[in-house]
Amino acid sequence: MNQAPASVWRRPVHFLAFGLGSGSVPFAPGTFGTLAAIPFYWLMSELPLGWYLGLVAVTFFWGIWLCDKTSRDLGVHDHSGIVWDEFVGYWLTMAAVPFSWEAALWGFVVFRVFDVFKPWPIRWADRRVAGGFGIMIDDILAAVYAWSTMHLWFWLH
């Protein structure tokens, strides 16, 4: 476990990469980062789908820079407290899912399962892709699995 550096509270780039500070918790920072993304999903869920997806795309590409910059500043590739990737991954998981607290919770659980267990090719990308893109892409892949699971679930029920 990596301790959150003091710069999280002094440098806006680090504060954002650490999910508005949610990644600074001493245990399960990815889980807390994903939880912190839920209120933003609640706000974003009212957007038309095109705007929602556009916002997720912007936060993904911005996240590449944000996570890379913070990782380089800290001298640790993919510091456990960098959770911006969990924010974006959760938001992608919830794309085109009408907001309800049940759906938000179900999306949280499904995304965390794929993010933690990392089935192929998530684990491969996590181990072999470097830099900010590498930090972001494994969570995007987990989100694709989670999104597919969510939509299959809703389609079947």
Side-chain angles (χ1 to χ4, degrees):
M1 169 176 48
N2 295 322
Q3 186 173 9
S7 65
V8 167
W9 309 109
R10 292 192 309 259
R11 300 199 57 201
V13 169
H14 295 186
F15 183 69
L16 290 170
F18 272 65
L20 308 177
S22 63
S24 66
V25 297
F27 61 94
T31 298
F32 282 91
T34 307
L35 282 172
I38 294 173
F40 294 96
Y41 161 64
W42 182 22
L43 296 171
M44 293 164 57
S45 69
E46 295 298 318
L47 294 172
L49 183 58
W51 283 96
Y52 184 97
L53 293 174
L55 183 57
V56 171
V58 166
T59 60
F60 168 73
F61 288 111
W62 187 45
I64 293 171
W65 174 82
L66 190 70
C67 294
D68 187 63
K69 171 77 172 132
T70 301
S71 182
R72 287 179 189 271
D73 288 352
L74 300 179
V76 179
H77 175 69
D78 205 0
H79 186 290
S80 63
I82 296 175
V83 296
W84 186 257
D85 49 334
E86 272 80 10
F87 273 54
V88 178
Y90 178 75
W91 295 335
L92 181 57
T93 296
M94 301 307 292
V97 175
F99 183 82
S100 73
W101 287 108
E102 294 82 11
L105 178 60
W106 174 236
F108 166 81
V109 170
V110 173
F111 174 69
R112 291 306 301 148
V113 165
F114 285 114
D115 191 30
V116 168
F117 290 104
K118 299 186 185 313
W120 188 89
I122 302 167
R123 185 172 311 279
W124 178 89
D126 185 49
R127 291 180 177 165
R128 291 192 172 82
V129 183
F133 183 75
I135 294 170
M136 294 295 296
I137 196 62
D138 66 302
D139 289 81
I140 295 305
L141 292 171
V144 169
Y145 276 107
W147 180 89
S148 299
T149 301
M150 292 288 291
H151 285 273
L152 181 62
W153 172 262
F154 284 113
W155 181 69
L156 293 173
H157 287 90

